[in-house]
Amino acid sequence: LWTKSFELNGQNPYKIRDVKVTNGGQVLINGYYYKGEDLLNPFLLAFDPATKKTKLHTIQSDEKTAHVGYRLTLLRDNTPLIAGLYAQKKDVGYKVFKLNSADLEMQEVISRPFEQPYGKMIFEGAYRPEFFSVKEIIETKNKTIVIDIEGGATQSGSHVSQSYTSPVYLSAITVDGKQHWHTILQKYQVQPLGSDLLGHSIFS
């Protein structure tokens, strides 16, 4: 039907995490730039084949603040939603943005620090903020948006590697940015010889 190439900003390589197509045919691509093992800026690319309009949004990290782990979803009304983590010194939490399909502009819905002890745990032991990400975003029948966040780390010894997963942080918000509730699920898993048996799913 059509082909399209997109110019991304920056000289660094990138990886794509999610590709979504709205009912109206708009194409959305979520990814992030990286340099070696360092994760750089996440981005959201929106393209409307009907109008030929393209909009590239970059969630800018800097020396003081890192943005990591963003995922993209479509709500039941077809609104694009993207959510991820921010870390600034010991202040760490999550951010949610929505995309206006009419002009492809991005609007912040909520920016909220994690309640303790989750925020403190992210900086302890083998964990670092870049090990954490939004795993899933779902919308319940009453239009509550539930964001699922988890971290993982791998340690290697001379004969074995072990994969670890952190507790899960769940936050339920409204589309206009009010938090209904949050909870921490003390799930803790250790799996020798790989991570294929680790993880969880959330569904409604």
Side-chain angles (χ1 to χ4, degrees):
L1 295 178
W2 53 266
T3 60
K4 175 71 175 177
S5 297
F6 301 101
E7 286 289 336
L8 298 179
N9 295 333
Q11 302 299 317
N12 297 108
Y14 61 89
K15 290 185 178 180
I16 292 173
R17 294 199 75 185
D18 303 293
V19 179
K20 303 289 184 182
V21 180
T22 68
N23 290 341
Q26 293 176 340
V27 180
L28 308 167
I29 301 173
N30 165 42
Y32 61 92
Y33 302 103
Y34 66 93
K35 184 177 183 180
E37 295 183 355
D38 295 328
L39 305 182
L40 305 177
N41 304 321
F43 64 83
L44 176 63
L45 178 71
F47 173 64
D48 190 339
T51 63
K52 309 300 182 185
K53 183 176 181 179
T54 302
K55 188 73 175 181
L56 176 63
H57 298 278
T58 303
I59 303 171
Q60 195 74 35
S61 298
D62 54 36
E63 294 179 356
K64 295 182 178 180
T65 305
H67 295 278
V68 296
Y70 276 78
R71 298 307 302 249
L72 170 68
T73 193
L74 296 177
L75 300 181
R76 295 175 188 268
D77 66 358
N78 224 36
T79 298
L81 203 77
I82 184 171
L85 286 79
Y86 72 86
Q88 185 177 17
K89 293 184 178 180
K90 295 300 182 179
D91 175 22
V92 60
Y94 67 94
K95 286 182 180 283
V96 180
F97 299 88
K98 63 181 177 180
L99 191 78
N100 188 328
S101 298
D103 57 10
L104 304 184
E105 291 298 329
M106 199 161 68
Q107 174 188 352
E108 183 176 297
V109 175
I110 188 173
S111 177
R112 189 179 180 97
F114 292 128
E115 280 79 1
Q116 300 301 343
Y118 204 82
K120 182 180 179 182
M121 180 270 300
I122 288 177
F123 293 93
E124 292 182 342
Y127 293 113
R128 297 198 304 268
E130 57 265 37
F131 293 164
F132 287 76
S133 67
V134 172
K135 298 297 183 182
E136 294 183 77
I137 308 168
I138 66 165
E139 183 182 11
T140 65
K141 291 182 179 179
N142 66 355
K143 298 185 178 180
T144 297
I145 300 164
V146 180
I147 302 164
D148 171 19
I149 297 165
E150 184 186 21
T154 300
Q155 292 183 339
S156 296
S158 57
H159 301 290
V160 65
S161 294
Q162 288 185 319
S163 295
Y164 302 83
T165 59
S166 75
V168 175
Y169 189 95
L170 294 179
S171 181
I173 66 170
T174 62
V175 179
D176 57 357
K178 294 183 176 69
Q179 181 172 268
H180 277 321
W181 52 263
H182 80 279
T183 190
I184 299 172
L185 303 180
Q186 298 293 339
K187 178 177 77 74
Y188 182 76
Q189 294 172 284
V190 180
Q191 171 63 26
L193 302 175
S195 59
D196 51 321
L197 298 181
L198 296 177
H200 67 279
S201 294
I202 181 172
F203 56 91
S204 66

